[in-house]
Amino acid sequence: ALLEASIERKIDLAITTYGMLARLAGLRERAWKLAILDEAQAIKNAGTRQARAVKELKATARFALTGTPVENRAGDLWSIFDFLNPGLLGSASAFAKFIRARDSSDRPDYGPLRALTRPYILRRLKTDKRIIADLPDKTEVRAWCSLTKPQAALYQKAVTELAEALEVADGIQRRGLVLAFIMRFKQICNHPSQWLGDGGYAPESSGKFARLRELAEEIAERQEKALVFTQFREITEPLAGFLSQVFGRPGLTLHGGTPVAQRRKLVETFQRDDGPPFFLLTVKAGGAGLNLTQAAHVIHFDRWWNPAVENQATDRAFRIGQKQNVLVHKFVCRGTIEERIDQVIEDKKSLSAELLEGGGEKLLTEMANDELLRFVALD
């Protein structure tokens, strides 16, 4: 009510959230001289209520700030430009047709799109020393893991069950089936107990736990700190207990169930020189908005589908104020869907680079049955 009343008066600046903008018609009806979107990837899905509300803003000039202009597909970029300069990239259907024509080519050429958007994009990279001269280096490495026998048996059983289920599934049912099995494969690669739900989590039953022990022991010996990211809340407690044993000290945990008021206290505790040696976070809860520069290591225990989100998580440590070189460890189980997902992620990075720097992706749910089964097969 206070904000809505202030809109009627002469004000110089209004700061609000995307959710509030969608609820307050007065914000959208007033004529503004300048509209600035922060975290503009919030409007990447043009059909959402949030994106539609933003595009109703009346402003003489418009800016969009985002570190991830292309999160999943080229359509993300179209939606942002639909706010910045409506009509520049044509209609949504015409743009989709343009992208499909290039994705079907062996060597997609996004040159015309880059040429059209380049005058409107001011881009900086953290790795550019002209931007941040004193930011240390970031090195990304694959932490290859092997499946244990229990993991391999469960994985192969899941492949067989998927093959049988695909014979009778179609349409939306097939899409849901594929997504469910992808999640099952990733859970099995983490630990058999995560899929079975038996609460056991014996370290020797998971190749990832074995690799994590090796890595954590080395970090502990060097008296350094680590951020450990997972996309699964249910595995945070077993991982926290395991890491506490390896480090010989308890760490911190943050997930979607952590009270908002507690987040700042957790960050302050970790940022102390004598603070805990590790911070375990779910990507969704802790992947943005936190400054955790005490960490010299970032461990992605399981991989997020979205490379932009994964990079945002890494940037909790690799940011202004970091004094140490940052080593990023990305866990990948050899011969499994994780190895192929890793390639999908690289393809997404290539898509972003092709569009902005001058690739493509193919959703697993759209693959033919034989192609999908080859993708998930245990090698």
Side-chain angles (χ1 to χ4, degrees):
L2 181 63
L3 179 59
E4 208 151 32
S6 69
I7 294 171
E8 302 303 320
R9 301 196 303 269
K10 182 175 175 59
I11 57 174
D12 296 318
L13 176 68
I15 301 175
T16 187
T17 64
Y18 288 104
M20 190 66 73
L21 178 63
R23 290 195 291 273
L24 297 180
L27 286 171
R28 307 192 301 275
E29 293 169 355
R30 176 172 177 149
W32 303 94
K33 289 184 178 179
L34 175 64
I36 303 175
L37 303 187
D38 192 22
E39 303 292 353
Q41 68 274 9
I43 65 165
K44 66 178 182 179
N45 295 322
T48 63
R49 179 190 177 202
Q50 186 167 277
R52 292 198 303 269
V54 168
K55 293 173 185 180
E56 289 178 18
L57 282 172
K58 300 174 178 64
T60 306
R62 302 180 179 197
F63 284 86
L65 310 177
T66 175
T68 52
V70 182
E71 283 198 338
N72 284 311
R73 48 184 61 86
D76 300 349
L77 189 65
W78 179 89
S79 187
I80 293 174
F81 266 91
D82 190 42
F83 162 77
L84 289 173
N85 198 335
L88 179 70
L89 301 185
S91 66
S93 58
F95 184 81
K97 183 178 179 181
F98 170 86
I99 294 298
R100 281 197 302 270
R102 273 136 189 85
D103 286 348
S104 62
S105 171
D106 292 336
R107 295 184 177 181
D109 177 18
Y110 298 101
L113 179 58
R114 286 197 305 274
L116 189 59
T117 58
R118 184 177 288 122
Y120 303 94
I121 297 177
L122 297 175
R123 193 166 186 240
R124 69 156 203 176
L125 299 175
K126 283 185 178 179
T127 50
D128 188 344
K129 297 299 182 182
R130 295 171 300 175
I131 302 296
I132 310 175
D134 60 348
L135 190 67
D137 293 330
K138 177 181 72 171
T139 304
E140 297 185 357
V141 296
R142 300 294 182 274
W144 297 104
C145 311
S146 300
L147 295 184
T148 61
K149 287 185 178 179
Q151 283 177 297
L154 279 174
Y155 190 102
Q156 185 56 54
K157 181 181 178 183
V159 173
T160 302
E161 291 180 6
L162 174 61
E164 294 172 353
L166 285 173
E167 293 180 0
V168 295
D170 58 11
I172 191 68
Q173 180 189 14
R174 182 185 183 278
R175 180 180 175 83
L177 175 74
V178 173
L179 292 174
F181 268 89
I182 289 170
M183 191 63 69
R184 184 194 299 193
F185 290 130
K186 296 176 82 171
Q187 290 174 322
I188 292 170
C189 286
N190 278 359
H191 195 292
S193 291
Q194 188 179 351
W195 163 245
L196 296 173
D198 57 15
Y201 286 100
E204 62 273 12
S205 296
S206 167
K208 281 193 178 182
F209 272 63
R211 186 70 183 88
L212 183 60
R213 178 189 294 278
E214 294 173 359
L215 188 54
E217 286 176 346
E218 183 180 341
I219 295 171
E221 285 179 8
R222 299 169 63 171
Q223 296 186 323
E224 295 176 336
K225 295 187 181 186
L227 305 181
V228 183
F229 285 100
T230 175
Q231 71 182 95
F232 299 103
R233 177 177 171 177
E234 67 264 23
I235 203 174
T236 54
E237 186 175 341
L239 278 175
F242 176 71
L243 287 169
S244 295
Q245 292 179 353
V246 177
F247 279 99
R249 294 173 57 196
L252 303 172
T253 302
L254 187 152
H255 51 62
T258 306
V260 174
Q262 197 175 333
R263 288 169 62 100
R264 177 177 293 181
K265 184 178 179 180
L266 290 173
V267 171
E268 291 174 351
T269 300
F270 183 77
Q271 286 292 91
R272 295 199 315 259
D273 289 339
D274 61 346
F278 70 88
F279 200 160
L280 179 63
L281 313 97
T282 57
V283 175
K284 198 166 186 179
L290 302 179
N291 189 343
L292 300 168
T293 52
Q294 276 283 333
H297 297 265
V298 177
I299 300 170
H300 292 283
F301 187 75
D302 45 63
R303 307 295 301 282
W304 193 257
W305 275 107
N306 192 319
V309 172
E310 191 172 82
N311 288 338
Q312 278 193 327
T314 295
D315 286 348
R316 298 315 94 214
F318 187 65
R319 60 196 299 111
I320 295 173
Q322 177 60 266
K323 304 301 182 185
Q324 313 168 80
N325 290 335
V326 176
L327 191 56
V328 184
H329 312 265
K330 300 183 177 184
F331 279 35
V332 181
C333 282
R334 285 191 181 278
T336 71
I337 188 175
E338 287 200 336
E339 189 169 356
R340 289 128 207 171
I341 285 176
D342 182 63
Q343 185 57 53
V344 170
I345 290 174
E346 292 305 311
D347 288 346
K348 285 189 176 183
K349 289 180 181 177
S350 297
L351 173 62
S352 179
E354 284 288 337
L355 291 175
L356 299 176
E357 299 169 5
E361 63 171 338
K362 187 171 186 180
L363 296 177
L364 271 65
T365 54
E366 298 173 2
M367 288 182 178
N369 287 357
D370 57 346
E371 186 180 5
L372 174 63
L373 292 172
R374 285 197 302 272
F375 189 91
V376 303
L378 183 61
D379 183 355

